[in-house]
Amino acid sequence: MSQALDTARQTLLAPAGLGDRDLEALFGQLLAHRLDYADLYFQYSRHESWSLEEGQVKSGSYSVDQGVGVRAVSGEKTGFAYSDVILLPALTDAAMAARAIARHGASATAAVRWRPGPVLALYAPLDPLASLEDAAKVRLLEQVEAEARAADPRVTQVMASLSGVQDVMLVARSDGILAADVRPLVRLNVTVIVEANGRRETASHGGGGRVSYQQFLQNHSAREYAQAAVRQALVNLEADEAPAGTMKVVLGPGWPGILLHEAIGHGLEGDFNRKGTSAFSGRIGERVAARGVTVVDDGTLADRRGSLNVDDEGTPTQCTVLIEDGILKGYMQDTHNARLMGVAPTGNGRRESYAHLPLPRMTNTYMLPGRHDPQEIIASVDRGLYAVNFGGGQVDITNGKFVFSASEAYLIENGQVTRPVKGATLIGNGPDVLTRVSRVGNDLALDSGVGTCGKDGQSVPVGVGQPTLLIDGLTVGGTQQG
Amino acid sequence: MNQSISRGDCEPLKTYVTDALAEARRLGASGAEANVSVGQGLSVNVRLGEVETVEHTRDQGLAVTVFFGQRSGSASTSDLSPSALRDCVRAAASIARYTAADDCAGLADPTELATEFPDLDLYHPWNPGVERSIEMARECEAAARATDARITNSEGASLNTHEHLEVYGNSHGFLGSAAMTRHSMSCAVIGQDDSGMQREYWYSVARDPANLEPAAAIGRQAARRTVGRLGARKLSTRKTPVIFEAPVASSLLSHFVGAIRGTSLYRRASFLLDHLGKPVFAPHVRIHEQPFLPKGLGSSTFDGDGVAPRERDLVRGGILEGYVLDVYAARKLGLKTTGNAGGVHNLMIDPGPDGLTALLRQMHTGLLVTDLIGFGINNVTGDYSRGAAGFWVENGEIGDPVEEITIAGNLRDMYRGIVAVGNDTDTRGNIRSGSILIDHMTLAGD
């Protein structure tokens, strides 16, 4: 019996006096209709955030969110209801509403016998909120401010925030699996504004993961993040207009891996491929990237923001190969789409909360390293863009067009990185952009733990990564022609 | 406990607010404010004629902010039981022990609080039931699929009904409530030909179900927009005039609101710092706020601070006439709140005399943008660069669909470069705009 399962029972079921027999009785009511599958998702989530501006931590907030979601599946149909209250009468109401998706009659599984499902141990079941005294949280933010101010006199504003979440979940499934997870998540972020000669610029940096706040102290994150934000803002203060047109683009390691998330990640989620609405539908086994390009989605990395011991449907996460040496290998699946496509779930069933339905979602998506030295990659480019930091991105799944917006970029001229240019949006076509990857660096890096992915109005934390990459043609959306 | 909604009656919710305020007072807070809301609804999605999901939604929550002199703390909970409520107020008070004293913190001045609560006609409950909802969604999707043989697949059609009650109160004795409904129907279909697949959608949203577009009309519009994108090509890089079609034009006004929000201004994180009384838009542009519009999606009699919003011009004759401020930001800037805690209320750019067809003729040759993707807006510099799709226009006629291009410029130039605003106002959001013609931007492609 896992510690997480004990904690989850204590946190989620015990206060309502709910025992295994009650859950069995609920499933008895659910399965009195012709269902293929049903699950209950219990969640208790505590969140805090502290924010600093103008040198002072002026505001802090704390929230508690709890509830239970009931899902009933019959063929391609899903009935769903949830309650903010974890009490038997509310649960019964929700179960009645959800099961109405199917007619009365015997389900395949008649009686449920509980057994704990396999769960990984990628992070400690700790409570980040309790990992540091409140006064020390305030001091950490004050230190971020001091580091940013000390970094350069042109810094005029510093905004910093610290947030922590402890999320306790338990999923009970009609196949008898009971799985639970206690998920910590912390994040420290800093945004600076710099001013000189009548020009102003801004930049942000941050990081975090499924760890305690202590990690920020041990890693001297306050200094690292503050200096990174100030450095980037000062670079942009000097930036010229970005070029416009299609050119060679070198992407730096780490966070620029948002390329993979947008260009191919979403398009390889099981729901779009079951429905045939993705530009990648039906293309398993085909070449979608250059030789030497291997991309995985890996939910099993220790302490990472996108990692999960078990997904929100009780499936342990795994490392799923999406593209191997340029060939499309597989999709990311939740249980619903996997069942309908006749394949195995891949531990990618995720939901924002009990009040949302699970969907196939990414975890940590990254490209494996190649053999090229990053300096040699830059030196190989006559004229192009070197983009090392990015803001958000977006994709149109169906036609495959994707964008991601550079927030720190430079011109490459005659094999040398020369002038900084302003941020610009890069646009490309997912199914063929990776076929134009002509060099893969040996410097794989993962992002610092800041990614949040949105789909169907649901946000979940994710990670990305890649080595330095050369793409032979990508459209850069600046203003400078020629 | 689960708070249920009964005929839009907010009275039962008021107790939660007064209890939270009383608890704050008991803990020694010098001031407090609390907000409680409950919502419920039904959402059905039908795909390829079959039911895909039936979701019953039901949300509740209470948020409280307490003040101890100039120090504050906030907390929220989805559990409204008496013990959870007490814990929530205590958590807020505990945070206030560690936050710094802030001169500008505090509730609105009592004289600024709303005193009149006209009925804005926002509450039109609609409960068609699961079966009828499915029928309507089916009708919508079927109309889309029957529109054109190239509609080969679908993401489905959805019907959503929702009602929401909210009460805000503070320790000045203010207690305001609002009951509102929001219903929507949407459809997204996939078209396919030799060139590949395209997806587009259409939706209708209204406080009153009687104001929703007919299901079949929504479906047909989704299909027409999808088929229109088939065969899209790239363009070469060039400078060009651009028309933002009404459904995407409102995003230009959202960026404007982002730049004149109080937090952006006092943090000096705006490209429109110190522009009050100065020209920001082309001289023919007027942008005004209509908080009391009956059935409006952004209508409200009081804002998140309990302050009454005002009917006003933000831009008149192209000149910036006002900012978007809440109580806190106003104090930071030495100004008066504009009743915008929580955002603007039905912002609208005045339509010009002509429709989109006339705008296309006026542009003659250029880009009509119907879809934008990405987040390439720098609120500090006004630099703008986003992915776009739409149509290339020649001689005032819509020509080939285009995609995989970006449009870039600076919002300051784009606002001053507004040549015309269409009369085809899209009223489906809190920000309303007709199509907008801008003199030139940089289009990046091949």
Side-chain angles (χ1 to χ4, degrees):
Chain A
M1 185 69 56
S2 77
Q3 187 192 341
L5 193 51
D6 287 345
T7 306
R9 282 177 192 273
Q10 280 306 313
T11 309
L12 297 162
L13 305 182
L18 288 172
D20 285 5
R21 294 286 92 75
D22 297 308
L23 298 187
E24 281 161 25
L26 267 170
F27 274 93
Q29 288 172 313
L30 277 166
L31 299 176
H33 282 219
R34 291 177 186 277
L35 301 179
D36 296 319
Y37 174 84
D39 62 17
L40 305 179
Y41 182 86
F42 295 87
Q43 185 184 25
Y44 180 81
S45 177
R46 296 158 60 245
H47 172 269
E48 70 170 359
S49 75
W50 299 83
S51 53
L52 171 145
E53 63 177 18
E54 299 177 318
Q56 295 185 317
V57 176
K58 295 193 260 183
S59 61
S61 66
Y62 171 79
S63 66
V64 176
D65 201 8
Q66 64 166 22
V68 55
V70 182
R71 174 169 62 147
V73 179
S74 171
E76 298 195 17
K77 297 192 292 243
T78 300
F80 180 59
Y82 59 89
S83 165
D84 297 301
V85 180
I86 304 178
L87 285 175
L88 196 53
L91 258 163
T92 307
D93 283 353
M96 294 300 134
R99 75 174 191 180
I101 195 74
R103 286 182 202 291
H104 191 80
S107 294
T109 356
V112 174
R113 290 279 172 272
W114 300 121
R115 63 181 192 283
V119 173
L120 307 174
L122 307 170
Y123 38 83
L126 54 87
D127 176 11
L129 283 66
S131 68
L132 202 59
E133 295 290 325
D134 286 348
K137 295 169 192 167
V138 169
R139 280 201 303 278
L140 177 60
L141 288 172
E142 288 169 348
Q143 193 196 341
V144 171
E145 147 96 13
E147 294 286 358
R149 296 266 175 198
D152 196 280
R154 288 168 286 181
V155 173
T156 56
Q157 291 282 335
V158 182
M159 282 81 75
S161 63
L162 179 71
S163 66
V165 184
Q166 190 196 35
D167 196 6
V168 181
M169 63 76 88
L170 183 150
V171 58
R173 316 197 315 196
S174 54
D175 62 0
I177 293 277
L178 267 187
D181 197 8
V182 177
R183 300 167 176 168
L185 189 65
V186 297
R187 173 147 179 201
L188 175 62
N189 213 73
V190 56
T191 299
V192 299
I193 294 179
V194 296
E195 259 184 90
N197 307 321
R199 242 177 108 164
R200 280 194 313 281
E201 260 297 353
T202 182
S204 297
H205 196 80
R210 299 200 179 279
V211 294
S212 82
Y213 290 135
Q214 295 295 334
Q215 180 125 329
F216 295 130
L217 302 179
Q218 286 154 14
N219 296 347
H220 307 286
S221 304
R223 170 168 298 177
E224 180 194 333
Y225 297 171
Q227 289 182 347
V230 171
R231 186 194 58 73
Q232 189 191 321
L234 292 175
V235 166
N236 283 332
L237 209 48
E238 308 291 323
D240 293 333
E241 296 299 318
T246 300
M247 63 196 68
K248 289 191 174 187
V249 174
V250 176
L251 297 173
W255 182 238
I258 187 174
L259 161 81
L260 306 173
H261 181 98
E262 303 298 351
I264 62 147
H266 279 296
L268 298 180
E269 290 166 343
D271 47 354
F272 302 120
N273 290 285
R274 169 174 66 83
K275 297 173 186 173
T277 60
S278 164
F280 288 96
S281 298
R283 297 195 59 181
I284 297 267
E286 290 182 23
R287 174 163 299 283
V288 295
R291 281 186 198 287
V293 171
T294 295
V295 180
V296 299
D297 182 81
D298 188 353
T300 70
L301 303 173
D303 297 340
R304 282 273 151 194
R305 184 174 162 88
S307 298
L308 295 172
N309 287 326
V310 61
D311 76 1
D312 294 328
E313 299 180 304
T315 310
T317 55
Q318 64 183 50
C319 179
T320 304
V321 177
L322 304 177
I323 295 173
E324 188 172 32
D325 200 18
I327 306 296
L328 182 58
K329 286 290 174 183
Y331 301 128
M332 289 167 279
Q333 298 287 3
D334 60 356
T335 55
H336 181 56
N337 289 287
R339 184 184 314 107
L340 293 172
M341 290 180 81
V343 297
T346 57
N348 289 90
R350 304 185 64 184
R351 60 203 296 174
E352 180 178 307
S353 78
Y354 63 88
H356 301 86
L357 274 172
L359 297 169
R361 303 293 296 264
M362 284 172 262
T363 59
N364 304 294
T365 313
Y366 59 94
M367 185 186 293
L368 300 188
R371 57 186 172 79
H372 291 276
D373 174 59
Q375 290 310 316
E376 168 210 320
I377 292 176
I378 291 167
S380 75
V381 176
D382 274 349
R383 179 178 177 279
L385 189 79
Y386 179 47
V388 297
N389 264 307
F390 281 85
Q394 199 178 342
V395 60
D396 180 325
I397 301 296
T398 303
N399 66 24
K401 305 301 175 278
F402 71 94
V403 294
F404 58 137
S405 297
S407 55
E408 181 184 352
Y410 305 84
L411 286 185
I412 304 176
E413 295 166 301
N414 303 318
Q416 302 276 324
V417 174
T418 56
R419 293 169 291 145
V421 292
K422 287 184 172 186
T425 288
L426 277 56
I427 190 163
N429 182 38
D432 70 36
V433 66
L434 295 186
T435 62
R436 283 187 245 153
V437 170
S438 60
R439 281 181 166 83
V440 180
N442 57 16
D443 56 342
L444 168 64
L446 299 175
D447 74 284
S448 58
V450 293
T452 297
C453 169
K455 174 177 172 181
D456 285 3
Q458 295 193 43
S459 294
V460 297
V462 295
V464 297
Q466 67 177 30
T468 297
L469 288 187
L470 171 57
I471 298 172
D472 276 343
L474 197 55
T475 301
V476 178
T479 55
Q480 209 59 26
Q481 278 180 266
Chain B
M1 78 193 56
N2 244 6
Q3 183 62 52
S4 65
I5 293 183
S6 166
R7 294 184 304 279
D9 182 7
C10 293
E11 284 306 314
L13 294 184
K14 291 184 176 172
T15 321
Y16 297 108
V17 170
T18 50
D19 285 356
L21 296 176
E23 179 66 15
R25 193 164 52 242
R26 211 181 58 74
L27 295 173
S30 53
E33 60 184 343
N35 174 302
V36 63
S37 64
V38 299
Q40 67 184 34
L42 176 69
S43 173
V44 303
N45 189 61
V46 164
R47 175 171 176 268
L48 299 177
E50 299 294 328
V51 177
E52 189 171 49
T53 55
V54 174
E55 296 184 59
H56 301 265
T57 67
R58 186 188 188 93
D59 301 281
Q60 58 180 30
L62 174 131
V64 61
T65 298
V66 298
F67 299 95
F68 289 80
Q70 298 307 115
R71 292 181 292 112
S72 71
S74 302
S76 65
T77 175
S78 65
D79 182 349
L80 300 183
S81 67
S83 64
L85 222 96
R86 271 195 307 276
D87 289 348
C88 178
V89 180
R90 270 190 218 131
S94 163
I95 285 168
R97 280 203 290 276
Y98 299 97
T99 52
D102 180 352
D103 290 347
C104 297
L107 301 173
D109 191 274
T111 60
E112 292 173 323
L113 295 168
T115 52
E116 287 175 38
F117 305 95
D119 180 5
L120 302 179
D121 201 15
L122 307 179
Y123 187 72
H124 297 269
W126 185 34
N127 187 7
V130 172
E131 290 310 316
R132 177 75 191 115
S133 297
I134 290 168
E135 275 175 40
M136 284 184 280
R138 276 203 177 115
E139 182 193 349
C140 179
E141 194 203 33
R145 295 172 70 200
T147 297
D148 194 296
R150 290 168 291 177
I151 300 296
T152 56
N153 200 345
S154 170
E155 282 186 1
S158 299
L159 180 72
N160 301 284
T161 57
H162 187 77
E163 52 188 302
H164 179 89
L165 307 183
E166 196 163 332
V167 172
Y168 167 85
N170 65 33
S171 53
H172 288 325
F174 181 88
L175 198 59
S177 63
M180 60 197 82
T181 51
R182 185 186 174 95
H183 314 294
S184 63
M185 183 176 276
S186 64
C187 183
V189 286
I190 313 288
Q192 186 162 20
D193 67 5
D194 296 342
S195 68
M197 289 196 293
Q198 296 287 349
R199 169 198 180 276
E200 260 292 354
Y201 69 101
W202 193 249
Y203 72 97
S204 178
V205 56
R207 297 282 186 204
D208 182 345
N211 298 123
L212 286 176
E213 284 178 51
I218 294 165
R220 282 193 296 269
Q221 180 72 335
R224 278 195 294 267
R225 293 181 75 86
T226 299
V227 169
R229 290 184 69 160
L230 287 170
R233 61 184 175 92
K234 253 181 123 159
L235 290 167
S236 60
T237 300
R238 65 191 73 180
K239 289 254 192 283
T240 174
V242 175
I243 292 174
F244 289 77
E245 193 197 15
V248 293
S250 58
S251 67
L252 296 175
L253 301 184
S254 303
H255 307 324
F256 166 64
V257 172
I260 60 166
R261 275 171 59 229
T263 40
S264 302
L265 295 168
Y266 77 73
R267 290 172 173 174
R268 300 181 63 75
S270 163
F271 62 93
L272 293 178
L273 278 190
D274 308 319
H275 274 66
L276 204 58
K278 293 181 187 162
V280 168
F281 281 84
H284 58 89
V285 171
R286 173 174 176 250
I287 299 172
H288 64 291
E289 196 182 7
Q290 301 171 285
F292 309 114
L293 206 60
K295 294 185 178 177
L297 292 169
S299 296
S300 181
T301 56
F302 61 91
D303 76 352
D305 291 323
V307 172
R310 289 197 312 272
E311 180 104 30
R312 60 172 181 143
D313 286 351
L314 272 77
V315 173
R316 193 184 315 126
I319 309 281
L320 181 62
E321 298 287 343
Y323 292 140
V324 172
L325 307 175
D326 59 9
V327 164
Y328 181 78
R331 283 190 192 130
K332 295 291 297 178
L333 294 163
L335 298 169
K336 285 238 175 279
T337 175
T338 57
N340 291 110
V344 292
H345 312 274
N346 303 318
L347 199 71
M348 174 150 169
I349 186 164
D350 278 8
D354 301 317
L356 178 58
T357 310
L359 249 61
L360 292 166
R361 277 199 296 268
Q362 192 175 355
M363 178 169 75
H364 190 266
T365 299
L367 180 70
L368 170 64
V369 174
T370 58
D371 191 23
L372 288 166
I373 58 172
F375 310 94
I377 289 101
N378 184 328
N379 198 45
V380 174
T381 61
D383 289 327
Y384 182 101
S385 168
R386 296 188 73 185
F391 298 88
W392 186 247
V393 176
E394 275 178 6
N395 299 317
E397 299 287 330
I398 292 182
D400 288 347
V402 297
E403 65 181 7
E404 205 181 335
I405 54 175
T406 61
I407 49 172
N410 186 283
L411 285 166
R412 274 186 292 215
D413 302 327
M414 289 160 63
Y415 292 154
R416 281 194 294 260
I418 292 178
V419 177
V421 180
N423 64 9
D424 53 339
T425 309
D426 186 342
T427 58
R428 295 177 299 173
N430 183 28
I431 297 184
R432 303 171 166 212
S433 177
S435 296
I436 291 180
L437 168 57
I438 290 179
D439 58 359
H440 72 271
M441 295 183 70
T442 303
L443 181 161
D446 280 328

